[in-house]
């Protein structure tokens, strides 16, 4: 049998394809330093031109990290030259993001960590997005960072029913969304008013269709929950990415009774409006560092919907189980949660939705936490250098 398999022309063709793919992946890794150097050079020049000549001398420059290279070094250089404060807003760790792309053991990852630690310690002040990150930065980088939680901006909110119906109708008529057609459960969303018990619930998941988000978890959970939900469920997945077509083929082969799945690409102005029309969100994002929080959950909270989120360290600083969402570790737990939330009475969903309404907004959070800290820093600003007017 082994001999027959080895000489089968179809299987031989498959091996050739895999060899080619492996070769391309190896070539990409080998050429990555060249690509990275070119990209960094372009970014460096653009940053220098902007910060040295395009804008007037700032009293402080707030730089978000990541990206770390070359932003931290360029901003530090400009701040020294123009006698400005460098304030670092730590949203994640740049070297862990790089490590996800090229492998944690790659020499460039080690160099990136050294670089990030060196320039990160030169900031005049620091913000970070979680308590876990604040502790890590102090222990590993010697950086004292104030926790400034990300919050949803005000343009994420519950959508007026009139605008919601208009958006649904446009999606039904659009040629870009082939799966949304008259006669589908999605049409019921546009036809039936909110509060109608016959109206399907709308679940959304935003993804970049990359391997760091195992979208198969949601598909397997939906298949397991199908037939036990008690009411129709429309699932819309937004975003673009390399694995989208692969998962669309899997979705096309699924036979479901209560669940209907669509993949969407929304215009930027329609994305907040669509989120504001949804009943429930699912987040499959896992942090590369285990220290930051998914922005997509904040967008969902701002739009007034609870979220089921895959667990990882520090997620409890955002999603509080049984209060503003549910936390799961595998598809079996997610299937059970969907069954509980999409039941006929949906009591748990309504309770958590009330808790989400109390979410603080970005503008309020900035005014209460960041603005006083920045004001104190700028009050302590020393005399400007001879180059300060530049």
């Amino acid at each position: 049998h082994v001999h027959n398999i080895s000489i089968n022309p179809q299987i031989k063709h498959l091996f050739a394809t895999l060899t080619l793919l492996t070769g391309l992946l190896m070539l990409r890794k080998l050429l990555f330093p060249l690509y990275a150097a070119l990209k960094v050079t372009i970014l460096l020049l653009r940053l220098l031109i902007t910060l040295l000549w395009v804008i007037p001398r700032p009293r402080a420059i707030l730089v978000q990290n990541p990206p770390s290279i070359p932003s931290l070094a360029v901003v530090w250089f400009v701040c020294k030259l123009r006698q400005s404060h460098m304030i670092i807003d730590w949203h994640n760790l740049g070297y862990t993001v790089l490590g996800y792309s090229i492998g944690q053991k790659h020499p460039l990852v080690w160099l990136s960590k050294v670089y990030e630690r060196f320039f990160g310690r030169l900031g005049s002040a620091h913000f970070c997005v979680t308590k876990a990150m604040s502790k890590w930065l102090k222990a590993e980088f010697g950086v004292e960072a104030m926790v400034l939680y990300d919050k949803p901006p005000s343009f994420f909110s519950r959508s007026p029913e009139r605008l919601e119906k208009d958006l649904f109708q446009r999606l039904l008529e659009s040629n870009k969304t082939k799966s949304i057609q008259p006669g589908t459960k999605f049409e019921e969303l546009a036809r039936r008013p909110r509060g109608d018990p016959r109206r399907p619930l709308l679940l959304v998941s935003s993804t970049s269709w990359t391997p760091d988000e195992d979208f198969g978890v949601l598909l397997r959970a939906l298949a397991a929950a199908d037939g036990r939900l008690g009411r129709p469920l429309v699932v819309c997945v937004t975003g673009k990415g390399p694995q989208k077509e692969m998962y669309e083929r899997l979705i096309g082969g699924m036979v479901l009774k209560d669940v209907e799945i669509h993949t969407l690409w929304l215009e930027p102005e329609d994305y907040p409006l669509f989120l504001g029309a949804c009943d429930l969100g699912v987040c499959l994002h896992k942090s590369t560092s285990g220290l930051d929080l998914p922005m997509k959950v904040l967008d969902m909270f701002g739009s007034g919907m609870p979220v089921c989120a895959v667990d990882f360290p520090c997620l409890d600083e955002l999603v509080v189980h049984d209060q503003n969402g549910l936390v799961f570790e595998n598809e079996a737990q997610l299937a059970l949660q969907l069954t509980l939330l999409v039941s006929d009475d949906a009591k748990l969903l309504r309770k958590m939705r009330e808790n989400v309404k109390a979410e603080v907004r970005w503008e309020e959070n900035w005014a209460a936490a960041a603005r006083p800290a920045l004001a104190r820093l700028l009050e302590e600003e020393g005399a400007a250098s001879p180059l300060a007017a530049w």
Side-chain angles (χ1 to χ4, degrees):
H1 293 107
V2 174
H3 176 70
N4 290 337
I5 290 173
S6 67
I7 64 174
N8 188 301
Q10 292 179 321
I11 297 179
K12 183 179 179 181
H13 175 74
L14 177 61
F15 285 148
T17 304
L18 290 174
T19 302
L20 177 62
L21 288 173
T22 303
L24 289 173
L25 288 172
M26 290 179 64
L27 182 63
R28 179 187 171 190
K29 286 189 175 182
L30 289 172
L31 293 178
F32 181 82
L34 180 63
Y35 164 78
L38 179 62
K39 182 179 178 181
V40 166
T41 302
I42 294 171
L43 287 173
L44 186 148
L45 292 173
R46 291 179 63 184
L47 280 171
L48 282 175
I49 291 169
T50 301
L51 296 177
L52 287 177
W53 287 284
V54 175
I55 65 172
R57 180 241 172 194
R59 297 175 66 190
I61 298 177
L62 179 64
V63 55
Q64 179 176 304
N65 184 72
S68 308
I69 302 172
S71 305
L72 292 181
V74 172
V75 171
W76 172 80
F77 172 75
V78 171
C79 286
K80 292 296 288 184
L81 199 61
R82 306 190 74 177
Q83 289 294 291
S84 304
H85 291 288
M86 178 170 75
I87 303 169
I88 303 176
D89 186 13
W90 298 83
H91 277 243
N92 201 348
L93 298 171
Y95 78 91
T96 65
V97 177
L98 178 63
Y100 183 81
S101 300
I102 62 175
Q104 296 295 340
K105 294 183 179 180
H106 197 288
L108 286 179
V109 176
W110 178 81
L111 287 172
S112 177
K113 183 177 181 180
V114 172
Y115 163 94
E116 195 169 6
R117 181 195 295 120
F118 177 80
F119 284 103
R121 297 172 72 170
L122 300 178
S124 302
H126 303 265
F127 297 119
C128 66
V129 293
T130 63
K131 293 177 182 176
M133 183 177 289
S134 179
K135 292 178 181 177
W136 190 96
L137 287 170
K138 184 176 182 179
E140 300 293 330
F141 282 7
V143 166
E144 294 278 355
M146 172 185 172
V147 178
L148 179 66
Y149 286 116
D150 280 321
K151 296 294 178 182
S154 57
F155 55 78
F156 284 105
S157 62
R158 292 303 292 172
S159 298
E161 194 163 2
R162 176 182 58 82
L163 296 179
E164 171 191 300
K165 285 193 172 185
D166 175 69
L167 174 61
F168 290 163
Q169 193 60 43
R170 284 192 284 116
L171 289 173
L172 280 166
E173 296 170 358
S174 172
N175 293 326
K176 295 180 180 178
T177 312
K178 296 179 181 178
S179 65
I180 296 180
Q181 300 289 340
T184 59
K185 292 181 175 65
F186 190 93
E187 187 181 29
E188 295 291 299
L189 292 168
R191 193 165 65 86
R192 297 190 183 278
R194 291 177 184 172
D196 188 331
R198 295 168 294 176
R199 173 181 161 128
L201 287 181
L202 179 56
L203 182 151
V204 66
S205 183
S206 303
T207 180
S208 54
W209 299 103
T210 51
D212 63 319
E213 295 184 0
D214 183 2
F215 193 72
V217 170
L218 177 57
L219 296 185
R220 292 189 292 271
L222 290 169
D226 187 50
R228 300 187 288 129
L229 297 174
R231 67 185 298 178
L233 176 66
V234 174
V235 179
C236 289
V237 188
T238 68
K240 287 184 178 180
Q243 293 189 333
K244 183 177 181 179
E245 290 185 2
M246 179 190 78
Y247 279 112
E248 283 180 330
R249 288 193 295 270
L250 291 175
I251 292 168
M254 297 176 71
V255 180
L256 302 171
K257 174 188 173 184
D258 297 327
V259 179
E260 185 176 277
I261 307 173
H262 304 279
T263 57
L264 304 177
W265 171 252
L266 297 166
E267 297 299 327
E269 61 271 19
D270 286 336
Y271 180 65
L273 185 61
F274 185 82
L275 287 191
C278 295
D279 300 293
L280 176 65
V282 170
C283 177
L284 300 168
H285 172 81
K286 288 186 176 181
S287 168
T288 59
S289 64
L291 301 172
D292 72 316
L293 298 170
M295 288 295 297
K296 64 188 72 179
V297 172
L298 290 163
D299 298 341
M300 292 173 181
F301 282 169
S303 302
M305 76 180 97
V307 175
C308 295
V310 65
D311 195 19
F312 65 87
C314 85
L315 180 67
D316 58 352
E317 294 189 45
L318 177 61
V319 180
V320 182
H321 191 71
D322 272 339
Q323 291 191 28
N324 57 7
L326 296 173
V327 178
F328 63 90
E329 295 182 355
N330 51 54
E331 60 261 29
Q333 291 181 358
L334 178 57
L336 177 60
Q337 291 171 6
L338 293 176
T339 304
L340 292 172
L341 292 168
V342 189
S343 60
D344 287 326
D345 54 13
K347 289 180 180 178
L348 180 59
L349 184 62
R350 288 198 300 271
K351 182 196 84 171
M352 290 194 297
R353 189 177 292 153
E354 289 299 316
N355 293 335
V356 169
K357 285 182 181 179
E359 185 70 35
V360 174
R361 294 293 172 165
W362 184 89
E363 296 85 353
E364 303 167 47
N365 192 48
W366 178 269
R371 186 178 294 167
L374 291 177
R376 288 193 298 271
L377 174 67
L378 295 179
E379 284 174 3
E380 299 168 359
E381 184 179 359
S385 76
L387 296 175
W390 184 13

